[in-house]
Amino acid sequence: MDLLHSSAWLQPAFNDPVLDAQVSFRAALKALAEPGLAQPLDRALALQTLQPATYALCLAFLDADTPLWLAPRFDTPAIRANLTFHCGCPIVAERELALFALLDEGELHDLSDFDNGSERYPDQSCTLLVQLAALDGGAPLRWRGPGIKDVRSVSLPLANRFWQQRSARSAFPRGLDAFFAAGVQVIGLPRSTRVLIDAEEAA
Amino acid sequence: MHDNPQIATRQRWMGVLARAGAELARYESALKETDYQLIRAPEVGMSLVRGRMGGSGAAFNLGEMTVTRCVVRLVDGRTGYSYVAGRDKRHAELAALADAHLQGRQQRDWLERLIEPLAAAQRARRAAKAAETATTQVEFFTLVRGED
């Protein structure tokens, strides 16, 4: 009676599956197009520890073709049941197989196992969906690159270790794209964005 | 049918509900007596129908058909599912509600009140159709032509 058991966890997802998914997807696109600018994303309700913006990203992105890796904090029966029911996405135990990864700030110190794509298919890299407690409050860093006029100052509360891991995994066109979500907001960080740490001035 | 009798029974009533069509509307008020929420609002989609030549050959794609599905949850936590052919959202919602009610303590009551009459009507319809078709049957005989 596995089915009867798991169905007890199910909750409604988007109110309007078509429009809400489109609005959420649009917000995610906008977040990547203008890295560092927070976009509103409030079309879903929170699901246990998943905040509205994080859950909306999942509902908009995931389907049967996108294996998902879950951080231990999000690996609960309710989150599993709802993601498999509403998105139909396979949940994988190996990070290498995942096209999306749902992370919290505790998982950002080691990104080495996530797929960063290949020279021929850089688009097949793993996209990181990171839920944070807030989107500001960290040290202000200067972001540069496509979608940013000159320089944008962004102060995500992230440890230095994340930025080291990110640059270790990026060899353009290969690299990891990330979304940072907190509450009902999302910030995009595509692989093309250069983040200047301290005085080291990358051209 | 499934080996597990519990699942086999549920398969049967889900089949009856899926074929019930507009007849379910008669039970609408009874089905909606309890409060419920839509886990998955009725939605229309396509489903690929596959078959096997002769029932045992290699699988082939027969074609796509329209399917409407729905999932509801009653206040007491029972969850009902439905998949019905066509694009009738009301039918899908009522069938899911009936599935949820049928999993409760009043299962026997619901079976007698809802499923058995529907099943009987479907049986009668099928028999009538079969009888009508039977009158068009042509039997072929080959007469010995005496060539040999």
Side-chain angles (χ1 to χ4, degrees), chain B residues 18-52:
Chain B
R19 284 185 288 268
E23 286 169 75
L24 266 183
R26 269 191 283 141
Y27 303 90
E28 179 159 3
S29 52
L31 289 169
K32 290 190 170 172
E33 234 166 58
T34 338
D35 281 340
Y36 67 97
Q37 77 180 136
L38 292 168
I39 299 287
R40 172 151 58 206
E43 56 186 19
V44 181
M46 302 284 276
S47 187
L48 182 64
V49 182
R50 310 192 78 201
R52 287 183 186 281

Side-chain angles (χ1 to χ4, degrees), chain B residues 78-97:
Chain B
R78 276 175 285 149
T79 319
Y81 291 67
S82 73
Y83 280 80
V84 306
R87 5 183 353 117
D88 188 345
K89 293 187 174 179
R90 184 156 163 243
H91 175 198
E93 189 172 333
L94 292 176
L97 275 169

Side-chain angles (χ1 to χ4, degrees), chain A residues 1 3-4 6-13 15 17 82 85-86, chain B residues 4 6-7 10 37-41 43 71 73 77 79 81 103:
Chain A
M1 294 283 96
L3 178 74
L4 293 180
S6 74
S7 66
W9 298 107
L10 294 181
Q11 307 209 343
N15 248 338
N82 279 284
F85 179 81
H86 290 296
Chain B
N4 182 335
Q6 230 180 332
I7 296 182
R10 191 169 174 206
Q37 77 180 136
L38 292 168
I39 299 287
R40 172 151 58 206
E43 56 186 19
V71 179
R73 153 107 35 82
T79 319
Y81 291 67
Q103 294 171 62

